[in-house]
Tab-separated table of all heavy atoms in Angstrom:
chain	number	residue	atom	x	y	z
C	1080	GLY	N	-2.694	-25.915	-1.133
C	1080	GLY	CA	-2.329	-25.293	0.148
C	1080	GLY	C	-3.158	-24.137	0.477
C	1080	GLY	O	-3.484	-23.892	1.688
C	1081	VAL	N	-3.731	-23.335	-0.380
C	1081	VAL	CA	-4.682	-22.324	-0.099
C	1081	VAL	C	-5.910	-23.036	0.610
C	1081	VAL	O	-6.357	-22.271	1.669
C	1081	VAL	CB	-5.201	-21.545	-1.487
C	1081	VAL	CG1	-6.384	-20.695	-1.174
C	1081	VAL	CG2	-4.080	-20.883	-2.050
C	1082	ILE	N	-6.506	-24.073	0.105
C	1082	ILE	CA	-7.688	-24.532	0.682
C	1082	ILE	C	-7.565	-25.348	1.961
C	1082	ILE	O	-8.460	-25.511	2.809
C	1082	ILE	CB	-8.626	-25.213	-0.286
C	1082	ILE	CG1	-7.943	-26.466	-0.625
C	1082	ILE	CG2	-9.002	-24.335	-1.376
C	1082	ILE	CD1	-8.936	-27.328	-1.621
C	1083	SER	N	-6.309	-25.640	2.174
C	1083	SER	CA	-6.129	-26.592	3.407
C	1083	SER	C	-5.198	-25.949	4.479
C	1083	SER	O	-4.843	-26.649	5.276
C	1083	SER	CB	-5.573	-27.985	2.904
C	1083	SER	OG	-4.362	-27.659	2.394
C	1084	ALA	N	-4.906	-24.736	4.168
C	1084	ALA	CA	-4.005	-24.105	5.334
C	1084	ALA	C	-4.712	-23.967	6.635
C	1084	ALA	O	-5.937	-23.599	6.584
C	1084	ALA	CB	-3.470	-22.839	4.793
C	1085	ALA	N	-3.994	-24.143	7.771
C	1085	ALA	CA	-4.559	-23.997	9.069
C	1085	ALA	C	-4.919	-22.559	9.307
C	1085	ALA	O	-6.011	-22.135	9.721
C	1085	ALA	CB	-3.699	-24.502	10.178
C	1086	ASN	N	-3.950	-21.631	9.078
C	1086	ASN	CA	-4.076	-20.303	9.362
C	1086	ASN	C	-4.482	-19.467	8.013
C	1086	ASN	O	-3.766	-19.688	6.966
C	1086	ASN	CB	-2.819	-19.751	10.153
C	1086	ASN	CG	-3.165	-18.376	10.685
C	1086	ASN	OD1	-3.957	-17.603	10.175
C	1086	ASN	ND2	-2.398	-18.077	11.702
C	1087	ALA	N	-5.113	-18.565	8.120
C	1087	ALA	CA	-5.516	-17.632	6.890
C	1087	ALA	C	-4.226	-17.127	6.126
C	1087	ALA	O	-4.303	-16.897	4.998
C	1087	ALA	CB	-6.589	-16.624	7.089
C	1088	ILE	N	-3.340	-16.795	7.005
C	1088	ILE	CA	-2.071	-16.024	6.331
C	1088	ILE	C	-1.324	-16.966	5.593
C	1088	ILE	O	-0.822	-16.654	4.500
C	1088	ILE	CB	-1.224	-15.475	7.543
C	1088	ILE	CG1	-0.271	-14.436	6.979
C	1088	ILE	CG2	-0.425	-16.543	8.363
C	1088	ILE	CD1	-0.692	-13.052	6.966
C	1089	TYR	N	-1.295	-18.321	6.016
C	1089	TYR	CA	-0.519	-19.290	5.158
C	1089	TYR	C	-1.319	-19.525	3.878
C	1089	TYR	O	-0.677	-19.624	2.748
C	1089	TYR	CB	-0.416	-20.698	5.950
C	1089	TYR	CG	0.552	-20.360	7.078
C	1089	TYR	CD1	0.117	-20.851	8.394
C	1089	TYR	CD2	1.703	-19.797	7.023
C	1089	TYR	CE1	0.908	-20.757	9.468
C	1089	TYR	CE2	2.467	-19.592	8.205
C	1089	TYR	CZ	2.076	-19.964	9.446
C	1089	TYR	OH	2.862	-19.800	10.445
C	1090	SER	N	-2.607	-19.516	3.849
C	1090	SER	CA	-3.404	-19.781	2.713
C	1090	SER	C	-3.199	-18.430	1.660
C	1090	SER	O	-3.126	-18.523	0.507
C	1090	SER	CB	-4.842	-20.010	2.815
C	1090	SER	OG	-5.250	-18.977	3.563
C	1091	ALA	N	-3.096	-17.325	2.281
C	1091	ALA	CA	-2.909	-16.134	1.439
C	1091	ALA	C	-1.568	-16.298	0.803
C	1091	ALA	O	-1.370	-15.953	-0.464
C	1091	ALA	CB	-2.982	-14.826	2.283
C	1092	LEU	N	-0.484	-16.713	1.517
C	1092	LEU	CA	0.781	-16.723	0.889
C	1092	LEU	C	0.854	-17.883	-0.140
C	1092	LEU	O	1.543	-17.699	-1.276
C	1092	LEU	CB	1.810	-17.070	1.993
C	1092	LEU	CG	2.028	-15.941	2.956
C	1092	LEU	CD1	3.156	-16.243	4.030
C	1092	LEU	CD2	2.486	-14.661	2.198
C	1093	CYS	N	0.086	-18.885	0.074
C	1093	CYS	CA	0.062	-19.971	-0.978
C	1093	CYS	C	-0.679	-19.413	-2.188
C	1093	CYS	O	-0.306	-19.654	-3.343
C	1093	CYS	CB	-0.778	-21.157	-0.591
C	1093	CYS	SG	0.150	-22.094	0.721
C	1094	LEU	N	-1.596	-18.538	-1.957
C	1094	LEU	CA	-2.268	-17.932	-3.172
C	1094	LEU	C	-1.314	-17.039	-4.044
C	1094	LEU	O	-1.399	-17.143	-5.137
C	1094	LEU	CB	-3.438	-17.047	-2.675
C	1094	LEU	CG	-4.475	-16.381	-3.710
C	1094	LEU	CD1	-5.091	-17.633	-4.296
C	1094	LEU	CD2	-5.387	-15.558	-2.973
C	1095	VAL	N	-0.476	-16.568	-3.312
C	1095	VAL	CA	0.635	-15.697	-4.023
C	1095	VAL	C	1.579	-16.572	-4.915
C	1095	VAL	O	1.581	-16.279	-6.122
C	1095	VAL	CB	1.580	-14.828	-3.049
C	1095	VAL	CG1	2.621	-14.290	-3.701
C	1095	VAL	CG2	0.772	-13.894	-2.218
C	1096	THR	N	1.873	-17.699	-4.265
C	1096	THR	CA	2.771	-18.596	-5.126
C	1096	THR	C	1.813	-19.111	-6.364
C	1096	THR	O	2.344	-19.278	-7.448
C	1096	THR	CB	3.165	-19.742	-4.391
C	1096	THR	OG1	2.489	-19.781	-3.110
C	1096	THR	CG2	4.637	-19.641	-4.157
C	1097	THR	N	0.512	-19.321	-6.124
C	1097	THR	CA	-0.302	-19.866	-7.319
C	1097	THR	C	-0.274	-18.759	-8.399
C	1097	THR	O	-0.162	-18.939	-9.572
C	1097	THR	CB	-1.736	-20.022	-6.768
C	1097	THR	OG1	-1.731	-20.540	-5.508
C	1097	THR	CG2	-2.558	-20.998	-7.720
C	1098	MET	N	-0.383	-17.489	-7.946
C	1098	MET	CA	-0.370	-16.411	-8.864
C	1098	MET	C	0.882	-16.329	-9.640
C	1098	MET	O	0.872	-16.128	-10.920
C	1098	MET	CB	-0.650	-15.009	-8.212
C	1098	MET	CG	-1.856	-14.892	-7.517
C	1098	MET	SD	-3.457	-15.153	-8.414
C	1098	MET	CE	-4.541	-15.512	-7.183
C	1099	PHE	N	2.015	-16.568	-8.950
C	1099	PHE	CA	3.289	-16.592	-9.716
C	1099	PHE	C	3.317	-17.659	-10.757
C	1099	PHE	O	3.759	-17.609	-11.827
C	1099	PHE	CB	4.381	-16.689	-8.835
C	1099	PHE	CG	4.630	-15.343	-7.947
C	1099	PHE	CD1	5.111	-15.473	-6.672
C	1099	PHE	CD2	4.605	-14.121	-8.570
C	1099	PHE	CE1	5.364	-14.388	-5.852
C	1099	PHE	CE2	4.845	-13.019	-7.901
C	1099	PHE	CZ	5.194	-12.959	-6.601
Side-chain angles (χ1 to χ4, degrees):
Chain C
V1081 168
I1082 60 172
S1083 63
N1086 191 334
I1088 194 92
Y1089 296 130
S1090 53
L1092 294 179
C1093 288
L1094 191 61
V1095 173
T1096 11
T1097 326
M1098 301 301 162
F1099 286 142

